[in-house]
Amino acid sequence: MSLKGKKVLITGGGRGIGAACASLFAEAGAKVAISSRTVSELEAQAQQINKKVGTQAVSAWPVDLESPSSIEALFKKIKSE
């Protein structure tokens, strides 16, 4: 299945199931934004997936899902790109 032209946001994308989903979506052609609180995990995961798929398909977006202002800022940043 091709997801070319689609955009995906995955919370908890720095590791585990979220990271695996991000990789699968990127391999299918989607632009993927991964988010979590741990910046180092996010950046490492985005680099690893981008290297695997050979393109800048994944971007890292730190966010604290317990903070409404953090969530709002995340959506504003993603929407502007």
Side-chain angles (χ1 to χ4, degrees), residues 63-64 66-76:
V63 67
D64 179 359
E66 293 182 5
S67 166
S69 62
S70 182
I71 295 168
E72 186 176 328
L74 170 68
F75 280 100
K76 283 182 181 179

Side-chain angles (χ1 to χ4, degrees), residues 4 9 14 20 23 31-32 37 48 54 58-59 62 68 73 78 81:
K4 188 171 181 158
L9 169 61
S23 183
K31 289 285 187 181
V32 183
R37 286 184 279 181
Q48 182 180 351
V58 179
S59 57
I78 290 174
E81 281 205 0

Side-chain angles (χ1 to χ4, degrees), residues 5-24:
K6 302 294 182 180
K7 296 177 184 176
V8 178
L9 169 61
I10 298 176
T11 58
R15 60 183 164 164
I17 293 171
C21 290
S23 183
L24 291 172

Side-chain angles (χ1 to χ4, degrees), residues 22-23 25-28 48-58:
S23 183
F25 281 116
E27 289 172 14
Q48 182 180 351
I49 296 170
N50 287 334
K51 185 176 180 180
K52 180 180 177 182
V53 298
T55 184
Q56 293 295 316
V58 179

Side-chain angles (χ1 to χ4, degrees), residues 33-53:
I34 57 174
S35 65
S36 79
R37 286 184 279 181
T38 312
V39 176
S40 59
E41 283 182 352
L42 283 175
E43 291 173 350
Q45 197 60 245
Q47 285 180 339
Q48 182 180 351
I49 296 170
N50 287 334
K51 185 176 180 180
K52 180 180 177 182
V53 298

